[in-house]
Amino acid sequence: MLQHQIVQSPAMLGLANPNSPSIPNPTPPKLPPTQTHHPQDRNSSTPSSALLSLLPPHLRAQALLAQMASLASKLFEVSPNRSLWVTAFRGSLPTFLSSHSSTPLDTSPSDGKEIISLFTVLQTQIFEAIAELQEILDLQDAKQKIDCEIHSQDSTLLAFANKLKEAESCLDILVDDYSDYHRSKRSKSGDDDSMTSSTISSQLKLSDMLSYAHRISYTTFAPPEFGAGQAPLRGALPPAPQEEQMRASQLYNFADLDVGLPKEVETKEKIVEAIVEPPPQVDTNTVPNLSAFQGMLPPMPPGWKPGMPVQLPIDLPLPPPGWKPGDPVPLPPMDSLQIPRFAEQQMQPHIPQPKQPEVIQVQPVNLDLGGSDTSDYSSDDASSDDED
Amino acid sequence: MDHYGSSGGSWTMIPTHNSQSQSNQDPNLFLQQQQQFLQSQPFQQALAPQSPFQQQQQQRLLQQQQQQQQPQNLHQSLASHYHLLHLVENLAEVIEHGTPDQPSDALINESSNHFEKCLQLLNSISGSISTKAMTVEGQKKKLEESEQLLNQRRDLIGNYRKSVEDLVRSEPVENVVL
């Protein structure tokens, strides 16, 4: 150990030059490894040094600085010229870091060389402590940056949460508007249904009722005398409608009325009116109807007017013996009679059938009445005119 | 890690205030200003009683330190303040072989000032770190905790971003349905 120290001392003394005290000593930036430091520490064999290495870097640096100051002050005490320095400083030797002058040293160096070697060890240790402090400061700076980034991330999350809340409120408003629109749409469709149903029901009921009433009234109505049983059914066969039946029908007068229904309903009413058309042709009271039938009947005598009696031809054939109303009548083979019947069939085929029974029924009545009173004859002619 | 110190002063203080929970920026700035104000007073008080000659010496030292500090990083600039061995070696040489005269007095004063400066620097460092008992392992643990918090927030933001992208992607389909 002493040889090691002796070897180091001359080199340092050689490097040190009293003429230039302010020149800094270049020390390599990299500190010696820990393994190299431990042997030196063990060589010192001081328990305080061992405990010192366990301190945190800041406290360790403070303790090391105090020991270095004490060692520097120790130089004056171990100097051969101590009496000279005491005289120069007037009794009190100078001290470094006066606030830490009371720090005790672990060892008692006897000369300057030993102090320099101890100082070298302390210099190495304080460099390590300072390096650790620097590392702590760097890590602390890095942590500060991370904290700033955390703060910015939190701000971003807060802004996102606010935007999300605004979006939620907008969606709530849209949902409310949509629900109102949906309700209004439903009410509109309901109105359409009600209109459609009302139209269908009105068409069905009104047109069907009218057509049904017309049909049943014309085909089933009977004269009150016949219904009551007071008079026999004369001049008509059910269910065919007759003049008396049609006159008694109350709905006959409504056939031409305009009810004010839509076009479809009017079309149906026109069809109903077409069914009603045949009865006016059968009516013989009006003059145009009589003029239409003139072609079929024999020509009227000159000067005749409606209401005047008509004299029937005398040469008509008599009914066969034993004939009664309702019995079939064989037609005579005369050409004059056949020709007008054929003309009737050509002009109006459906009218001749009811026409024949009327002609046949009139003859016996005329013969019986012609033989008796004149007034009875005139009344029979009027009735025959009505029938024709 | 490379950190360049500012060229304004002898030592650049890194103002940081640790807190595991979230803290607002305004109180942090107030604390930083308070620390700077407190730390600047002892330095000025130390300069007041010095003589003009000592002030010149200190200015020269400051210039040398500034020149050394600019090209180097903060790590070396911080450690360079503690190069005390050459001073003590020169001091030992003067004490053993020299005589009390003007150069020896100047050297003794220079050494004394350097020790005081190192102590002030150490005190300012204690103001920068959270506690004096802080170690490298302790600071690393705190850094890891902060990194975990940051990763949590990044994961949350990633999840939210993914959710929003899914909603945006599905939005056209909803429009078609409407």
Side-chain angles (χ1 to χ4, degrees), chain A residues 242-307:
Chain A
Q242 298 299 325
E243 181 180 357
E244 295 178 357
Q245 297 171 5
M246 288 188 291
R247 288 177 179 175
S249 174
Q250 296 297 324
L251 288 176
Y252 177 75
N253 296 324
F254 294 95
D256 295 333
L257 288 177
D258 185 7
V259 185
L261 294 173
K263 290 183 179 180
E264 292 181 355
V265 178
E266 288 177 355
T267 305
K268 291 182 179 180
E269 191 175 6
K270 288 180 181 178
I271 295 169
V272 172
E273 289 178 356
I275 296 170
V276 178
E277 282 179 0
Q281 295 178 358
V282 178
D283 189 1
T284 57
N285 289 330
T286 59
V287 175
N289 293 332
L290 292 174
S291 63
F293 288 107
Q294 285 179 0
M296 296 183 289
L297 295 174
M300 296 296 174
W304 184 87
K305 292 181 179 178

Side-chain angles (χ1 to χ4, degrees), chain A residues 184-216:
Chain A
S184 64
K185 189 173 183 180
R186 277 184 178 179
S187 63
K188 186 177 181 181
S189 65
D191 292 337
D192 290 336
D193 291 337
S194 65
M195 290 177 68
T196 305
S197 64
S198 65
T199 304
I200 293 170
S201 64
S202 67
Q203 288 182 355
L204 181 63
K205 293 180 180 178
L206 189 57
S207 61
D208 290 351
M209 288 176 71
L210 287 176
S211 64
Y212 182 70
H214 288 166
R215 284 190 281 99
I216 62 175

Side-chain angles (χ1 to χ4, degrees), chain B residues 51-126:
Chain B
S51 62
F53 180 75
Q54 292 178 357
Q55 288 180 357
Q56 290 178 1
Q57 289 289 332
Q58 192 155 10
Q59 288 178 2
R60 188 172 65 185
L61 288 174
L62 286 173
Q63 289 177 0
Q64 290 177 359
Q65 290 172 1
Q66 287 179 6
Q67 290 177 359
Q68 293 177 2
Q69 187 174 2
Q70 287 178 0
Q72 298 174 358
N73 57 12
L74 191 59
H75 177 74
Q76 293 186 358
S77 65
L78 186 63
S80 65
H81 294 289
Y82 290 85
H83 283 286
L84 302 169
L85 187 59
H86 65 282
L87 283 175
V88 173
E89 288 174 351
N90 294 333
L91 193 65
E93 183 69 17
V94 169
I95 290 171
E96 287 184 1
H97 305 289
T99 58
D101 57 354
Q102 196 68 23
S104 63
D105 290 343
L107 183 59
I108 291 169
N109 289 328
E110 182 181 353
S111 300
S112 178
N113 292 334
H114 202 71
F115 273 101
E116 292 292 339
K117 191 180 300 179
C118 290
L119 187 62
Q120 290 172 9
L121 185 63
L122 208 58
N123 290 331
S124 66
I125 290 173
S126 68

Side-chain angles (χ1 to χ4, degrees), chain A residues 221-242:
Chain A
F221 189 82
E225 294 82 2
F226 178 77
Q230 296 176 359
L233 183 63
R234 50 184 177 84
L237 291 174
Q242 298 299 325

